[in-house]
């Protein structure tokens, strides 16, 4: 296989604390990376790089792992501009707009849905995202949820069944009947096309008992749990996530001390989604509190047409540093290695021998510029699986 070296990297983020300066980022100065096939085979000081077939001079710029976006909702149709405009004019967000997207998504063709997913994945890739999870949740019928997952699986391996996004409008007077559908025929149809199962455990969506039943049923079919937890109010979501060994509890905006302790002591990643708080003018999650308690924190975009219509991980990093108490180092780690942990992956989110060759070359000497220069398109080149794609 052909080998390629990226040399004269001013600052290389490996996310391996055994390398470089010994911090969680494992920073190596004046570094090089060697790619063979789809893997990283060597990292170290540029002057010690082995001979390779090809060489790219980074010319004093920084290299980071590809971003791992572990929470998005890309299988949708329609537009919610009016909802956003109304919310920015003072009307509160209550998640009711999901029903608007459900109606549009049901009417869209498979090709239209697939084109949308491809569009937003390409948009994210241009901004350095090399791994992206996405969910169903805008169909809410057996047929529409299954086709959403089939569409998603054409584009990514990280696919999540979210039939339990809200109670379907078709079951507005029979939420128990909808839970039976989600855990029965809909699960049967959807499980072959997904890796994960998710539930929106929130007032106005599903309570703790319903969420437990849904996630337990999914786990029995081989799907691993993750939970939309504690976004709009305090609730049982985080505790349930830890109890069921969910890979992640996502949002984590309203947390008790017991919730924070549970995340600090358990194996569930706290995935924070600052785009949602930005787009709804809601309370910011307290990342500092979680980090100080020893919790593993991930950052993700929550890209969706209603409450967080951004695909930009650099934007979310800047928000996390500015408004959530994270340092630039912590935010970058959470957007790469943290996202990998939320997907229970060890082959991505780091630049070390054996990892998948997902790299981002920044037009800046340091990863700190992602927060230091918010809104500036700093991504200069992207490699995914060893192939230069941007």
């Amino acid at each position: 296989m052909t080998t390629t070296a990226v040399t004269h990297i001013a600052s290389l983020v490996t996310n391996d604390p055994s390398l470089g300066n010994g911090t969680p980022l494992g920073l190596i100065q004046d570094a090089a990376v060697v790619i063979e096939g789809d893997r990283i085979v060597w990292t170290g000081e540029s002057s010690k790089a082995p001979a390779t077939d090809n060489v790219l001079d980074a010319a004093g710029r920084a290299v980071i792992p590809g971003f791992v976006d572990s929470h998005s909702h890309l299988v949708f149709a329609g537009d919610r501009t009016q909802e956003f405009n109304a919310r920015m004019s003072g009307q509160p967000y209550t998640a009711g707009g999901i029903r608007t997207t459900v109606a549009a998504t049901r009417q869209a063709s498979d090709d239209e849905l697939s084109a949308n997913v491809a569009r937003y994945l390409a948009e994210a890739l241009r901004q350095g995202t090399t791994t992206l999870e996405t969910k169903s949740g805008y169909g809410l019928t057996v047929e529409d949820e299954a086709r959403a997952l089939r569409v998603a699986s054409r584009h990514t391996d990280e696919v999540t069944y979210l039939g339990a996004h809200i109670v379907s409008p078709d079951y507005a007077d029979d939420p128990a009947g909808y839970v039976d559908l989600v855990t029965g025929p809909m699960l049967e149809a959807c499980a072959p096309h997904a890796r994960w199962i998710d539930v929106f455990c929130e007032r106005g969506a599903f309570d703790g008992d319903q969420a437990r039943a849904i996630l337990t049923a999914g786990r029995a079919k081989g799907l691993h749990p993750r939970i939309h937890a504690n976004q709009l109010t305090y609730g049982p979501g985080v505790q349930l996530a830890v109890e069921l060994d969910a890979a992640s509890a996502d949002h984590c905006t309203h947390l008790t001390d017991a919730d924070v302790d549970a995340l600090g002591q358990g194996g569930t990643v706290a995935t924070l989604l600052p785009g949602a708080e930005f787009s709804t003018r809601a309370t910011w999650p307290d990342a500092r509190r979680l980090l100080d308690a020893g919790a593993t924190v991930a950052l993700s975009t929550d890209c969706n047409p209603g409450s967080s219509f951004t695909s930009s991980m650099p934007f979310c990093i800047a928000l996390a540093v500015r408004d959530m108490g994270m340092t630039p180092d912590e935010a970058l780690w959470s957007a790469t290695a943290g996202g990998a942990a939320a997907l229970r992956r060890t082959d991505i989110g780091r630049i070390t021998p054996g990892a998948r060759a997902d790299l981002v070359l920044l037009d800046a000497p340091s990863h700190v510029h992602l927060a230091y220069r918010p809104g500036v398109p700093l991504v200069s080149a992207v490699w995914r699986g060893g192939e230069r794609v941007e």
Side-chain angles (χ1 to χ4, degrees), residues 26-51:
L27 286 170
I28 303 175
Q29 306 297 327
D30 192 14
V33 176
V34 177
I35 301 168
E36 183 175 5
D38 66 348
R39 298 286 144 177
I40 303 293
V41 294
W42 186 90
T43 60
E45 296 176 12
S46 192
S47 62
K48 299 177 181 177

Side-chain angles (χ1 to χ4, degrees), residues 142-315:
V142 172
E143 178 183 352
D144 285 306
E145 285 295 295
R147 79 173 180 130
L149 295 173
R150 288 195 301 270
V151 166
S153 64
R154 297 177 195 171
H155 301 279
T156 179
D157 294 332
E158 298 295 347
V159 177
T160 300
Y161 165 46
L162 183 59
H165 199 180
I166 58 169
V167 173
S168 169
D170 308 321
Y171 284 78
D173 298 324
D174 186 16
Y178 187 65
V179 172
D180 289 342
L181 182 72
V182 168
T183 58
M186 189 183 287
L187 176 60
E188 288 289 333
C190 290
H193 309 292
R195 182 183 178 202
W196 307 96
I197 184 167
D198 199 343
V199 58
F200 188 16
C201 184
E202 187 67 64
R203 186 182 303 165
F206 299 90
D207 64 24
D209 290 339
Q210 292 169 325
R212 179 182 284 103
I214 290 163
L215 296 177
T216 301
R219 193 165 59 179
K221 294 293 290 185
L223 304 181
H224 202 85
R226 50 199 326 113
I227 307 180
H228 283 62
N230 301 55
Q231 176 188 6
L232 305 177
T233 58
Y234 294 95
V238 163
Q239 296 291 336
L240 181 61
V242 175
E243 174 193 328
L244 297 181
D245 187 35
S248 65
D250 297 16
H251 287 290
C252 295
T253 307
H254 299 277
L255 301 179
T256 65
D257 289 345
D259 293 332
V260 173
D261 290 343
L263 289 166
Q265 297 169 17
T268 297
V269 174
T271 300
L272 307 183
L273 310 170
E277 279 69 42
F278 177 87
S279 296
T280 61
R281 289 179 172 160
T283 301
W284 295 102
D286 189 345
R288 181 81 272 132
R289 184 181 177 202
L290 287 162
L291 291 164
D292 289 348
T296 299
V297 173
L299 286 178
S300 186
T301 63
D302 191 19
C303 186
N304 75 80
S307 61
S308 183
F309 204 7
T310 180
S311 59
S312 175
M313 290 289 275
F315 175 63

